[in-house]
Amino acid sequence: MAKFWKNSMVLWFLVAIVFVISSASASTRLKKFDHPTKGDGTLNFLVIGDWGRRGTYNQSHVARQMERVGEKLDIDFVLSTGDNFYDNGLTGIHDTNFVESFTNIYTAKSLQKQWYSVLGNHDYRGNVEAQLSPYLRKIDSRWVCLRSFVVNAEIAEIFMVDTTPFEEKYFTTPKDHIYDWRGVLPRQAYMANVLKELEKALSESTAKWKIVLGHHAIRSAGHHGDTPILVDRFLPILRKYDVDFYMNGHDHCLEHISDTESRLQFLVSGAGSKAWRGDTKGINRDDVHFFHDGQGFMSVELTPTEAKIKYYDVFGRVRHRWNRSKLLLHSAM
């Protein structure tokens, strides 16, 4: 009888393990936000990063130019590439930095659209759970910030990914900074899950345009340069699933770089406030099409067959533009 109960307990234990593994596997799916396009099927949005400084370092000036371009393009939403609140994220859900750096700065009617945001390394120096909290939407309903998620905009899917935990130096040599790693540890398991979720979402996507956005660069001619672990872990996935654009911030500049082995374009928009004048690495590389070491932002205009990318400086001048056409494949009648 004792042997029977022992075998039964082992069996139930194995069943429980299988259930837990199956549940974890089933939940490995990025949260998706559906954002319908306009009636004509077009999609327009702005991309900005590294901005939240209570209006200083020309943040307010950039915001005014975003107002003008946002109105002209009748934008659908804004994407933030992270480092949303300087210097050390938010202290809590009642931190006035949220209102002073976001709500009170981007006040224009044209910018009263959804803001989809990822976290940057400076955000991880604060209370991460506060910045991710749904409570902030009660203060400003535009705010949507998760670690990783998908924006489904019909003709385009935008895969927002959390890149900060991939940088080992934040764990091994944090200097005087304290990072909030709740929800990230153990790090290796977290990174593996991010990559698994991203690859699954990309493999299932039928969008005409596939865009991946993170805080850290894969390729950059700016201060931080390329991010080796993203080149190693992310780039093969982006190439495999024919991603059109990888967008990021982190380097406080504007950049356009082409991949040397695919049609993938690296678009850096991290100049929402403080910029780093003259701080470059390899700016004369053949794959670098544009580099601007001042403040600014980027606009994206999409149709089912065409993409238009424009970079604007702090005065609203177009510093770089780039177009891409994409043929539609029609099934035989």
Side-chain angles (χ1 to χ4, degrees):
M1 191 71 175
K3 184 177 181 180
F4 170 79
W5 282 110
K6 181 178 180 181
N7 291 338
S8 297
M9 291 297 292
V10 171
L11 178 62
W12 279 110
F13 179 71
L14 293 174
V15 170
I17 291 176
V18 171
F19 176 78
V20 170
I21 293 175
S22 299
S23 299
S25 176
S27 64
T28 305
R29 187 177 296 273
L30 294 174
K31 182 176 178 61
K32 183 176 290 190
F33 294 87
D34 292 326
H35 199 118
T37 56
K38 303 181 182 67
D40 60 359
T42 62
L43 178 69
N44 300 333
F45 56 91
L46 304 181
V47 184
I48 186 172
D50 305 80
W51 42 269
R53 297 182 185 272
R54 293 184 168 89
T56 63
Y57 292 98
N58 284 338
Q59 183 192 0
S60 294
H61 294 294
V62 173
R64 282 195 286 273
Q65 299 306 326
M66 290 174 65
E67 169 189 359
R68 182 181 63 82
V69 175
E71 181 178 5
K72 180 180 179 181
L73 298 182
D74 187 20
I75 60 170
D76 296 278
F77 50 78
V78 178
L79 300 181
S80 171
T81 60
D83 275 3
N84 307 310
F85 302 101
Y86 283 94
D87 277 329
N88 299 307
L90 298 178
T91 59
I93 58 175
H94 300 294
D95 189 341
T96 58
N97 194 11
F98 178 74
V99 171
E100 293 168 357
S101 291
F102 178 56
T103 304
N104 290 354
I105 302 299
Y106 305 103
T107 58
K109 181 179 179 180
S110 64
L111 301 180
Q112 302 308 303
K113 306 294 175 69
Q114 215 72 67
W115 282 57
Y116 297 108
S117 307
V118 294
L119 299 168
N121 53 297
H122 281 268
D123 300 311
Y124 266 102
R125 295 177 188 175
N127 184 332
V128 168
E129 296 300 325
Q131 198 168 152
L132 299 174
S133 173
Y135 180 82
L136 295 184
R137 298 200 67 187
K138 296 181 179 180
I139 301 174
D140 195 318
S141 61
R142 295 176 292 174
W143 186 252
V144 177
C145 183
L146 287 79
R147 296 184 194 272
S148 299
F149 60 102
V150 179
V151 179
N152 173 28
E154 297 182 1
I155 64 172
E157 279 198 314
I158 305 159
F159 306 85
M160 314 280 284
V161 292
D162 185 19
T163 61
T164 298
F166 284 80
E167 277 282 56
E168 187 175 12
K169 65 182 180 182
Y170 302 137
F171 295 83
T172 58
T173 55
K175 299 180 180 179
D176 296 328
H177 306 303
I178 299 175
Y179 291 88
D180 181 1
W181 296 127
R182 288 177 294 171
V184 169
L185 302 176
R187 174 173 171 255
Q188 293 297 330
Y190 180 82
M191 292 191 299
N193 197 53
V194 169
L195 293 168
K196 181 179 179 180
E197 289 178 334
L198 174 62
E199 183 158 16
K200 181 176 180 60
L202 284 171
S203 70
E204 295 174 347
S205 178
T206 59
K208 294 178 176 65
W209 300 96
K210 297 178 185 178
I211 301 169
V212 177
L213 182 148
H215 179 62
H216 295 78
I218 293 179
R219 300 293 189 195
S220 174
H223 171 79
H224 295 104
D226 297 350
T227 308
I229 192 170
L230 298 190
V231 173
D232 181 55
R233 305 288 293 277
F234 274 79
L235 187 52
I237 296 175
L238 271 55
R239 287 172 174 165
K240 178 179 179 180
Y241 294 101
D242 298 319
V243 170
D244 297 284
F245 307 116
Y246 177 78
M247 302 176 178
N248 66 275
H250 197 44
D251 272 330
H252 295 189
C253 57
L254 303 172
E255 301 180 62
H256 173 201
I257 300 174
S258 289
D259 187 27
T260 57
E261 299 181 24
S262 72
R263 288 170 57 84
L264 174 64
Q265 305 296 309
F266 304 104
L267 307 176
V268 180
S269 183
S273 57
K274 187 177 182 180
W276 297 328
R277 181 71 68 183
D279 198 346
T280 64
K281 291 181 180 178
I283 194 172
N284 295 319
R285 290 168 13 193
D286 292 338
D287 57 342
V288 178
H289 303 294
F290 167 71
F291 184 95
H292 176 61
D293 55 355
Q295 292 99 344
F297 60 99
M298 179 173 68
S299 72
V300 180
E301 303 170 63
L302 298 177
T303 73
T305 59
E306 188 175 13
K308 296 180 180 180
I309 310 295
K310 295 178 184 175
Y311 286 93
Y312 304 84
D313 65 17
V314 68
F315 302 105
R317 297 175 299 201
V318 177
R319 301 298 295 259
H320 177 68
R321 66 182 76 221
W322 184 83
N323 296 351
R324 162 169 288 175
S325 294
K326 177 175 288 195
L327 295 177
L328 287 179
L329 299 179
H330 298 282
S331 59
M333 298 297 291

